[in-house]
Amino acid sequence: MIFPTVENAMLVAVDLQVKLLPAMSGQERIINRAGVMLRGAAELGLDTVVTEQYPKYLGNTLPELSSLLPADTPVIEKSSFSVFGASGFCKALSARKREVLIFIGVEAHVCLLQSVLDARAEGYGVIVVADAVGSRKEDDRELALSALRAAGAEIYSCETVLFMLLRDSKHPCFKSISGLIK
């Protein structure tokens, strides 16, 4: 696994949509931790890409999360479960030339799982932010996290990932990131 840095990593926010999140087990945790990751990514200048699964039916990204995105953040509509099935995602990824993909979002056992498996097949290092992912059923989430780990994804908490990106308490963003975690 390649250690994630702002220069080599990208945050991928998968399907954090208005009609999906209310159905998730642990929705408050998912929204809170996804928000922390999005704020942290913006603070650090970490590239972020957002996907939306069939937004005509499932709505757009939750407003309290989309409001945290920098203005130039790509928001990519998809019908495929894997983000790699969306040509817009593949174009955004190739334009950024990243080696590590950091995933947050839903559902862990469907879109997130297929996206991570495709990322691993393409040779990317993958981090899944466990406290910022979910499924309708907690058992499905747990099974997905186990499968993702077995497929070579690193599974960490939001706090761990943000501090991995900081690397040092002397980082200029240390205080602001520390404030997000509390």
mmCIF file of all heavy atoms in Angstrom, residues 121-150:
data_model
loop_
_atom_site.group_PDB
_atom_site.id
_atom_site.type_symbol
_atom_site.label_atom_id
_atom_site.label_comp_id
_atom_site.label_asym_id
_atom_site.label_seq_id
_atom_site.Cartn_x
_atom_site.Cartn_y
_atom_site.Cartn_z
ATOM 1 N N ALA A 121 -8.426 -3.847 -8.933
ATOM 2 C CA ALA A 121 -8.101 -4.524 -10.192
ATOM 3 C C ALA A 121 -7.295 -3.613 -11.120
ATOM 4 O O ALA A 121 -6.481 -4.094 -11.907
ATOM 5 C CB ALA A 121 -9.379 -4.997 -10.889
ATOM 6 N N GLU A 122 -7.517 -2.307 -11.001
ATOM 7 C CA GLU A 122 -6.788 -1.327 -11.815
ATOM 8 C C GLU A 122 -5.434 -0.964 -11.199
ATOM 9 O O GLU A 122 -4.695 -0.150 -11.760
ATOM 10 C CB GLU A 122 -7.628 -0.053 -11.994
ATOM 11 C CG GLU A 122 -8.882 -0.244 -12.823
ATOM 12 C CD GLU A 122 -8.584 -0.416 -14.306
ATOM 13 O OE1 GLU A 122 -7.592 0.159 -14.791
ATOM 14 O OE2 GLU A 122 -9.344 -1.142 -14.975
ATOM 15 N N GLY A 123 -5.135 -1.517 -10.024
ATOM 16 C CA GLY A 123 -3.835 -1.290 -9.404
ATOM 17 C C GLY A 123 -3.753 -0.130 -8.429
ATOM 18 O O GLY A 123 -2.658 0.226 -7.978
ATOM 19 N N TYR A 124 -4.876 0.448 -8.074
ATOM 20 C CA TYR A 124 -4.871 1.557 -7.122
ATOM 21 C C TYR A 124 -4.726 1.046 -5.696
ATOM 22 O O TYR A 124 -5.266 -0.002 -5.343
ATOM 23 C CB TYR A 124 -6.172 2.375 -7.220
ATOM 24 C CG TYR A 124 -6.261 3.173 -8.480
ATOM 25 C CD1 TYR A 124 -6.949 2.682 -9.581
ATOM 26 C CD2 TYR A 124 -5.631 4.409 -8.580
ATOM 27 C CE1 TYR A 124 -7.014 3.403 -10.758
ATOM 28 C CE2 TYR A 124 -5.692 5.138 -9.760
ATOM 29 C CZ TYR A 124 -6.377 4.628 -10.838
ATOM 30 O OH TYR A 124 -6.433 5.342 -12.003
ATOM 31 N N GLY A 125 -4.027 1.811 -4.877
ATOM 32 C CA GLY A 125 -4.084 1.615 -3.441
ATOM 33 C C GLY A 125 -5.428 2.146 -2.982
ATOM 34 O O GLY A 125 -5.899 3.172 -3.493
ATOM 35 N N VAL A 126 -6.077 1.461 -2.058
ATOM 36 C CA VAL A 126 -7.422 1.863 -1.642
ATOM 37 C C VAL A 126 -7.511 1.943 -0.126
ATOM 38 O O VAL A 126 -7.067 1.036 0.577
ATOM 39 C CB VAL A 126 -8.496 0.877 -2.164
ATOM 40 C CG1 VAL A 126 -9.864 1.204 -1.581
ATOM 41 C CG2 VAL A 126 -8.553 0.890 -3.681
ATOM 42 N N ILE A 127 -8.108 3.039 0.330
ATOM 43 C CA ILE A 127 -8.458 3.203 1.741
ATOM 44 C C ILE A 127 -9.965 3.375 1.810
ATOM 45 O O ILE A 127 -10.543 4.166 1.061
ATOM 46 C CB ILE A 127 -7.758 4.426 2.353
ATOM 47 C CG1 ILE A 127 -6.243 4.192 2.397
ATOM 48 C CG2 ILE A 127 -8.312 4.729 3.745
ATOM 49 C CD1 ILE A 127 -5.440 5.401 2.835
ATOM 50 N N VAL A 128 -10.602 2.628 2.701
ATOM 51 C CA VAL A 128 -12.027 2.784 2.968
ATOM 52 C C VAL A 128 -12.154 3.387 4.361
ATOM 53 O O VAL A 128 -11.595 2.861 5.327
ATOM 54 C CB VAL A 128 -12.775 1.437 2.883
ATOM 55 C CG1 VAL A 128 -14.243 1.611 3.275
ATOM 56 C CG2 VAL A 128 -12.652 0.853 1.477
ATOM 57 N N VAL A 129 -12.870 4.496 4.457
ATOM 58 C CA VAL A 129 -13.076 5.178 5.731
ATOM 59 C C VAL A 129 -14.291 4.531 6.399
ATOM 60 O O VAL A 129 -15.440 4.861 6.096
ATOM 61 C CB VAL A 129 -13.260 6.692 5.530
ATOM 62 C CG1 VAL A 129 -13.377 7.400 6.883
ATOM 63 C CG2 VAL A 129 -12.095 7.268 4.715
ATOM 64 N N ALA A 130 -14.018 3.599 7.304
ATOM 65 C CA ALA A 130 -15.062 2.725 7.847
ATOM 66 C C ALA A 130 -16.207 3.480 8.510
ATOM 67 O O ALA A 130 -17.369 3.088 8.363
ATOM 68 C CB ALA A 130 -14.450 1.740 8.849
ATOM 69 N N ASP A 131 -15.909 4.557 9.225
ATOM 70 C CA ASP A 131 -16.983 5.266 9.922
ATOM 71 C C ASP A 131 -17.730 6.237 9.018
ATOM 72 O O ASP A 131 -18.687 6.878 9.442
ATOM 73 C CB ASP A 131 -16.488 5.950 11.198
ATOM 74 C CG ASP A 131 -15.222 6.768 11.028
ATOM 75 O OD1 ASP A 131 -14.591 6.724 9.960
ATOM 76 O OD2 ASP A 131 -14.848 7.467 11.993
ATOM 77 N N ALA A 132 -17.339 6.322 7.748
ATOM 78 C CA ALA A 132 -18.034 7.183 6.777
ATOM 79 C C ALA A 132 -18.644 6.370 5.645
ATOM 80 O O ALA A 132 -18.889 6.889 4.565
ATOM 81 C CB ALA A 132 -17.068 8.227 6.219
ATOM 82 N N VAL A 133 -18.871 5.070 5.903
ATOM 83 C CA VAL A 133 -19.549 4.222 4.926
ATOM 84 C C VAL A 133 -20.693 3.493 5.612
ATOM 85 O O VAL A 133 -20.680 3.300 6.830
ATOM 86 C CB VAL A 133 -18.604 3.201 4.244
ATOM 87 C CG1 VAL A 133 -17.457 3.900 3.552
ATOM 88 C CG2 VAL A 133 -18.104 2.161 5.202
ATOM 89 N N GLY A 134 -21.676 3.083 4.820
ATOM 90 C CA GLY A 134 -22.805 2.381 5.419
ATOM 91 C C GLY A 134 -23.638 1.632 4.394
ATOM 92 O O GLY A 134 -23.450 1.754 3.191
ATOM 93 N N SER A 135 -24.552 0.859 4.956
ATOM 94 C CA SER A 135 -25.540 0.094 4.190
ATOM 95 C C SER A 135 -26.856 0.165 4.953
ATOM 96 O O SER A 135 -26.885 0.559 6.118
ATOM 97 C CB SER A 135 -25.109 -1.375 4.064
ATOM 98 O OG SER A 135 -23.946 -1.511 3.285
ATOM 99 N N ARG A 136 -27.925 -0.258 4.299
ATOM 100 C CA ARG A 136 -29.219 -0.280 4.987
ATOM 101 C C ARG A 136 -29.180 -1.208 6.195
ATOM 102 O O ARG A 136 -29.735 -0.900 7.233
ATOM 103 C CB ARG A 136 -30.328 -0.699 4.028
ATOM 104 C CG ARG A 136 -30.742 0.418 3.074
ATOM 105 C CD ARG A 136 -31.619 -0.075 1.964
ATOM 106 N NE ARG A 136 -30.741 -0.825 1.050
ATOM 107 C CZ ARG A 136 -31.124 -1.841 0.309
ATOM 108 N NH1 ARG A 136 -32.358 -2.259 0.337
ATOM 109 N NH2 ARG A 136 -30.274 -2.461 -0.473
ATOM 110 N N LYS A 137 -28.508 -2.344 6.036
ATOM 111 C CA LYS A 137 -28.389 -3.307 7.131
ATOM 112 C C LYS A 137 -26.943 -3.329 7.619
ATOM 113 O O LYS A 137 -26.013 -3.424 6.813
ATOM 114 C CB LYS A 137 -28.792 -4.709 6.661
ATOM 115 C CG LYS A 137 -30.234 -4.798 6.217
ATOM 116 C CD LYS A 137 -30.524 -6.170 5.667
ATOM 117 C CE LYS A 137 -31.932 -6.218 5.074
ATOM 118 N NZ LYS A 137 -32.142 -7.437 4.297
ATOM 119 N N GLU A 138 -26.762 -3.280 8.930
ATOM 120 C CA GLU A 138 -25.415 -3.270 9.505
ATOM 121 C C GLU A 138 -24.646 -4.541 9.150
ATOM 122 O O GLU A 138 -23.436 -4.492 8.931
ATOM 123 C CB GLU A 138 -25.491 -3.082 11.025
ATOM 124 C CG GLU A 138 -24.159 -2.829 11.677
ATOM 125 C CD GLU A 138 -23.416 -1.589 11.166
ATOM 126 O OE1 GLU A 138 -24.050 -0.625 10.693
ATOM 127 O OE2 GLU A 138 -22.168 -1.602 11.241
ATOM 128 N N ASP A 139 -25.348 -5.672 9.062
ATOM 129 C CA ASP A 139 -24.670 -6.917 8.667
ATOM 130 C C ASP A 139 -24.061 -6.809 7.274
ATOM 131 O O ASP A 139 -22.949 -7.288 7.043
ATOM 132 C CB ASP A 139 -25.647 -8.103 8.690
ATOM 133 C CG ASP A 139 -26.023 -8.541 10.094
ATOM 134 O OD1 ASP A 139 -25.384 -8.078 11.062
ATOM 135 O OD2 ASP A 139 -26.958 -9.356 10.209
ATOM 136 N N ASP A 140 -24.771 -6.165 6.344
ATOM 137 C CA ASP A 140 -24.239 -5.981 4.990
ATOM 138 C C ASP A 140 -22.986 -5.104 5.012
ATOM 139 O O ASP A 140 -22.020 -5.364 4.302
ATOM 140 C CB ASP A 140 -25.291 -5.355 4.069
ATOM 141 C CG ASP A 140 -26.379 -6.338 3.668
ATOM 142 O OD1 ASP A 140 -26.128 -7.563 3.692
ATOM 143 O OD2 ASP A 140 -27.484 -5.864 3.333
ATOM 144 N N ARG A 141 -23.000 -4.062 5.841
ATOM 145 C CA ARG A 141 -21.831 -3.189 5.978
ATOM 146 C C ARG A 141 -20.640 -3.969 6.504
ATOM 147 O O ARG A 141 -19.532 -3.867 5.973
ATOM 148 C CB ARG A 141 -22.157 -2.020 6.904
ATOM 149 C CG ARG A 141 -20.989 -1.098 7.181
ATOM 150 C CD ARG A 141 -21.387 0.013 8.176
ATOM 151 N NE ARG A 141 -20.239 0.794 8.549
ATOM 152 C CZ ARG A 141 -19.406 0.490 9.544
ATOM 153 N NH1 ARG A 141 -19.606 -0.581 10.291
ATOM 154 N NH2 ARG A 141 -18.364 1.250 9.815
ATOM 155 N N GLU A 142 -20.850 -4.748 7.541
ATOM 156 C CA GLU A 142 -19.755 -5.515 8.148
ATOM 157 C C GLU A 142 -19.193 -6.552 7.179
ATOM 158 O O GLU A 142 -17.975 -6.717 7.082
ATOM 159 C CB GLU A 142 -20.218 -6.175 9.441
ATOM 160 C CG GLU A 142 -20.520 -5.192 10.564
ATOM 161 C CD GLU A 142 -19.336 -4.312 10.932
ATOM 162 O OE1 GLU A 142 -18.184 -4.820 10.936
ATOM 163 O OE2 GLU A 142 -19.543 -3.116 11.186
ATOM 164 N N LEU A 143 -20.077 -7.238 6.464
ATOM 165 C CA LEU A 143 -19.615 -8.212 5.468
ATOM 166 C C LEU A 143 -18.823 -7.527 4.357
ATOM 167 O O LEU A 143 -17.797 -8.044 3.901
ATOM 168 C CB LEU A 143 -20.797 -8.985 4.879
ATOM 169 C CG LEU A 143 -21.448 -10.004 5.814
ATOM 170 C CD1 LEU A 143 -22.773 -10.493 5.227
ATOM 171 C CD2 LEU A 143 -20.500 -11.162 6.084
ATOM 172 N N ALA A 144 -19.288 -6.364 3.932
ATOM 173 C CA ALA A 144 -18.584 -5.621 2.886
ATOM 174 C C ALA A 144 -17.198 -5.195 3.365
ATOM 175 O O ALA A 144 -16.214 -5.333 2.632
ATOM 176 C CB ALA A 144 -19.396 -4.401 2.456
ATOM 177 N N LEU A 145 -17.096 -4.679 4.585
ATOM 178 C CA LEU A 145 -15.788 -4.264 5.108
ATOM 179 C C LEU A 145 -14.826 -5.452 5.175
ATOM 180 O O LEU A 145 -13.641 -5.323 4.845
ATOM 181 C CB LEU A 145 -15.933 -3.593 6.471
ATOM 182 C CG LEU A 145 -16.588 -2.205 6.455
ATOM 183 C CD1 LEU A 145 -16.796 -1.698 7.874
ATOM 184 C CD2 LEU A 145 -15.767 -1.219 5.642
ATOM 185 N N SER A 146 -15.322 -6.613 5.565
ATOM 186 C CA SER A 146 -14.481 -7.818 5.594
ATOM 187 C C SER A 146 -14.022 -8.196 4.193
ATOM 188 O O SER A 146 -12.845 -8.525 3.976
ATOM 189 C CB SER A 146 -15.244 -9.000 6.210
ATOM 190 O OG SER A 146 -15.500 -8.760 7.560
ATOM 191 N N ALA A 147 -14.936 -8.150 3.228
ATOM 192 C CA ALA A 147 -14.589 -8.485 1.844
ATOM 193 C C ALA A 147 -13.593 -7.480 1.273
ATOM 194 O O ALA A 147 -12.657 -7.854 0.564
ATOM 195 C CB ALA A 147 -15.855 -8.532 0.986
ATOM 196 N N LEU A 148 -13.782 -6.214 1.591
ATOM 197 C CA LEU A 148 -12.880 -5.176 1.098
ATOM 198 C C LEU A 148 -11.475 -5.359 1.668
ATOM 199 O O LEU A 148 -10.482 -5.221 0.950
ATOM 200 C CB LEU A 148 -13.429 -3.792 1.440
ATOM 201 C CG LEU A 148 -14.724 -3.423 0.706
ATOM 202 C CD1 LEU A 148 -15.360 -2.188 1.310
ATOM 203 C CD2 LEU A 148 -14.462 -3.240 -0.775
ATOM 204 N N ARG A 149 -11.394 -5.667 2.935
ATOM 205 C CA ARG A 149 -10.089 -5.926 3.571
ATOM 206 C C ARG A 149 -9.407 -7.116 2.887
ATOM 207 O O ARG A 149 -8.224 -7.068 2.568
ATOM 208 C CB ARG A 149 -10.268 -6.177 5.063
ATOM 209 C CG ARG A 149 -8.960 -6.316 5.827
ATOM 210 C CD ARG A 149 -9.166 -6.474 7.330
ATOM 211 N NE ARG A 149 -9.577 -5.217 7.940
ATOM 212 C CZ ARG A 149 -10.786 -4.985 8.466
ATOM 213 N NH1 ARG A 149 -11.717 -5.917 8.476
ATOM 214 N NH2 ARG A 149 -11.070 -3.818 9.011
ATOM 215 N N ALA A 150 -10.171 -8.168 2.651
ATOM 216 C CA ALA A 150 -9.622 -9.361 2.001
ATOM 217 C C ALA A 150 -9.149 -9.062 0.579
ATOM 218 O O ALA A 150 -8.213 -9.691 0.085
ATOM 219 C CB ALA A 150 -10.665 -10.482 1.983
#
